[in-house]
Amino acid sequence: MAGSRQGRGQDIGIDLGTANTLVYLRGKGIVLNEPSVIAVDRKTGEVLSVGAEAKRTLGRTPEDVVASRPLQDGVIADFEGTRHLLRHLMAKATGATGRWFRPGPRVVVCVPSGITGVERRAVIEAVGSAGARSVHLIQEPMAAAIGAGLPVQEPTGSMVVDIGGGTTEVAVVSMGGMVAAGSIRVAGDRMDEVIAKQVKKDHGLLIGERTAEEVKLAIGSAEAAEAAEAFEGADELEVRGRDSVLGLPRTALVTAAQVREAVEEPVAEIVAEVKRTLDRCPPELAGDVMGQGIVLTGGGALLRGLDRRIARETGLPVRVAENPLDCVVVGSGKCVEEIEELRRTFAVSA
Ligand code: ADP
Ligand code: MG
């Protein structure tokens, strides 16, 4: 107990996402929201920039600079890179400058439900070596459900579907636990990949992941009807890239229908995972979900028409959470606010 008052206000919740990392500071709320990207000097290994600044250099860095995303498919792919990212963001969030102060913050960080023990230990180690005094893990779908305001402690089933960059997490929660869960490594990044492939196939144009994401945000959709409403006619986008044969820069006009065709496969996989998880759910709780419906969180929830598509295929009411990109970190933040009780509820401490 000693030191817990001193540490107060320095406890943080982290949503260490494949696409974005958000930090919640106890007593303050969300203080940071940055892309999970770092730019490193290839020769010296020095970190040149982190977050939004590094993301701008993705795909257009000179030879001696590598911009990379240290998290892939929801888990740590580059340990050192993740540690840098965390160290930088944790110091920024807690106002620490220069050398790390002691004691470091206590940290609640969420992890996808489908990860292995090794992947889980890597997260604990990365957060620990970035300066945390203690690390508590919470399951991502649980954090998303809490952040979306679902009644997770009640004896009723609530379903949350978190669609991030690397993974889609589906879970039915009841009485503080997950009664059914599914996790697939198909989410926003996969949509970007298939859009890039489609543009190459339809237009012979090579585009990078950043451009593919821009196309998705501008004219992406999962349902034709929704799209028509949303776009009001402006359903095409001029895209810049490199000719796949001649190698020269040029543009092409990509249509919403082409993007829809491209994302059909990942969208269908997400829908299938939702159905599988409903199937695995005990009958009583499935009944609850029927009544309450499904809540979508994560950036992928913003794909136009995805809510309607899931509703149509499951026959259940579906809604997108308010501020879907913030749900997971808000959920972790709520746990941070009650960090003293945490051990008794959802989290495992390390
Ligand atoms: P993660 O938890 O993996 O960091 P996020 O929940 O932050 O992921 O969501 C990031 C993903 O959401 C990215 O793939 C991004 O392209 C996607 N995204 C963000 N806004 C939209 C939008 N309006 N339409 C479709 N996808 C979106
Ligand atoms: Mg996420």
Side-chain angles (χ1 to χ4, degrees), residues 174-341:
S174 176
M175 300 178 78
M178 300 201 307
V179 286
S183 172
I184 49 167
R185 296 186 175 189
V186 175
D189 290 342
R190 179 66 66 80
M191 295 180 197
D192 302 344
E193 272 168 42
V194 293
I195 289 170
K197 272 196 196 135
Q198 189 82 20
V199 171
K200 183 178 174 211
K201 182 173 145 241
D202 293 346
H203 301 278
L205 193 73
L206 302 176
I207 60 171
E209 61 178 281
R210 265 194 45 228
T211 306
E213 185 185 24
E214 278 164 21
V215 172
K216 175 181 71 180
L217 301 190
I219 58 171
S221 61
E223 291 266 276
E226 282 272 326
E229 266 171 47
F231 301 138
E232 292 167 354
D235 64 347
E236 49 191 26
L237 188 73
E238 192 175 76
V239 175
R240 263 185 249 171
R242 196 158 56 81
D243 190 285
S244 65
V245 178
L246 303 174
L248 297 172
R250 67 170 171 85
T251 62
L253 208 55
V254 176
T255 69
Q258 290 168 335
V259 177
R260 195 158 48 249
E261 187 189 329
V263 300
E264 174 52 32
E265 187 196 309
V267 165
E269 285 186 54
I270 290 168
V271 173
E273 190 60 24
V274 172
K275 288 184 180 167
R276 260 198 300 276
T277 308
L278 278 170
D279 251 6
R280 281 199 291 259
C281 188
E284 293 286 337
L285 296 175
D288 295 341
V289 174
M290 256 181 91
Q292 295 219 16
I294 302 172
V295 175
L296 308 185
T297 65
L302 292 168
L303 183 73
R304 291 174 194 83
L306 185 58
D307 50 350
R308 194 178 292 190
R309 170 72 177 267
I310 296 174
R312 182 163 60 77
E313 293 211 28
T314 58
L316 301 180
V318 178
R319 69 178 171 89
V320 178
E322 223 176 286
N323 306 318
L325 285 149
D326 296 349
C327 289
V328 169
V329 80
V330 167
S332 317
K334 285 199 177 140
C335 294
V336 166
E337 297 291 357
E338 290 155 26
I339 199 163
E340 282 79 20
E341 283 99 71

Side-chain angles (χ1 to χ4, degrees), residues 30-84:
I30 303 172
V31 291
L32 270 184
N33 179 357
E34 299 266 358
S36 307
V37 181
I38 54 164
V40 179
D41 186 314
R42 201 190 289 273
K43 286 199 201 89
T44 64
E46 187 194 349
V47 178
L48 302 171
S49 58
V50 168
E53 202 185 328
K55 184 171 183 181
R56 277 194 290 276
T57 65
L58 254 191
R60 54 162 72 112
T61 47
E63 262 169 30
D64 47 347
V65 180
V66 258
S68 73
R69 294 176 49 185
L71 294 128
Q72 302 279 336
D73 298 332
V75 298
I76 295 176
D78 163 11
F79 185 82
E80 273 307 306
T82 304
R83 207 164 61 86
H84 275 299

Side-chain angles (χ1 to χ4, degrees), residues 15-20 22 110 140 162-167 169 297-299 324-325 328:
D15 170 8
L16 183 59
T18 311
N20 299 295
L22 290 80
C110 39
E140 212 157 40
D162 181 78
I163 307 150
T167 57
E169 305 272 319
T297 65
L325 285 149
V328 169

Side-chain angles (χ1 to χ4, degrees), residues 106-139:
R106 291 183 293 188
V107 176
V108 173
V109 59
C110 39
V111 289
S113 59
I115 74 172
T116 66
V118 172
E119 291 165 339
R120 181 185 293 266
R121 277 194 294 282
V123 172
I124 294 171
E125 222 178 294
V127 177
S129 66
R133 165 160 111 250
S134 67
V135 185
H136 304 263
L137 299 185
I138 170 171
Q139 306 260 31

